Each structure stands twice: as structure tokens, then as C-alpha cells.
């Protein structure tokens, strides 16, 4: 039986349904992450995040990477 649970997001506290037992049906699977983005999230959080926080952190990571690139030019 797939494991689904209502859990709070460790970043924002919002309740969401985590479908870790059916990851392809989980809300987080709608956000495409590169390997580097995935590592970044794993460094910050040990648990699943809501889709809004994943998107926000992805955007912040990309902005930071862009700023770092601009600073090295």
C-alpha cells in the first residue's frame, strides 16, 4: 500500500499531502530540478517540502547562481 500522509512543510508550515509511496503522483514531481538544485534542497532540508517552497527555493538558487556568474565576469 502506498504511503500518503498529510504533513507540514518544514519551511513554511503549510499542510500538504506527501505521496512518498507514489512519488510519480506526488505534487513535488511537477517541479523539474537539476542534480545541483536537488543537492541544494537536500542540504537545507531533510524532509519533503510543499510544491510552493520547492519552486521558491529553485528560483532563489537560480538567481543566486546567476548573480555568482555575473560577479565572476
Amino acid at each position: 500500500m502506498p504511503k500518503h500522509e498529510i504533513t507540514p512543510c518544514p519551511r513554511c508550515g503549510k499542510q500538504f499531502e506527501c505521496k512518498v509511496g507514489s512519488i510519480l503522483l506526488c505534487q513535488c514531481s511537477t517541479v523539474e530540478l537539476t542534480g545541483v538544485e536537488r543537492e541544494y534542497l537536500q542540504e537545507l532540508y531533510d524532509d519533503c517540502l510543499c510544491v510552493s517552497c520547492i519552486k521558491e527555493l529553485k528560483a532563489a538558487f537560480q538567481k543566486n547562481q546567476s548573480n555568482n556568474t555575473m560577479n565572476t565576469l
Side-chain angles (χ1 to χ4, degrees):
M1 178 110 171
K3 180 181 174 189
H4 297 185
E5 60 183 77
I6 303 298
T7 186
C9 176
R11 181 172 180 255
C12 71
K14 176 183 161 188
Q15 298 283 323
F16 69 98
E17 184 177 18
C18 178
K19 296 181 180 178
V20 72
S22 299
I23 196 69
L24 295 177
L25 299 175
C26 194
Q27 49 91 37
C28 67
S29 69
T30 63
V31 183
E32 287 189 42
L33 298 172
T34 65
V36 178
E37 291 167 341
R38 191 176 312 279
E39 288 175 18
Y40 171 71
L41 293 180
Q42 289 173 340
E43 288 175 9
L44 296 175
Y45 297 96
D46 293 329
D47 209 350
C48 295
L49 299 164
C50 72
V51 73
S52 296
C53 284
I54 294 171
K55 288 178 180 178
E56 289 173 14
L57 289 167
K58 176 184 172 96
F61 178 82
Q62 289 174 343
K63 182 178 179 183
N64 186 36
Q65 292 294 68
S66 177
N67 288 342
N68 287 342
T69 300
M70 294 299 288
N71 289 336
T72 60
L73 296 177

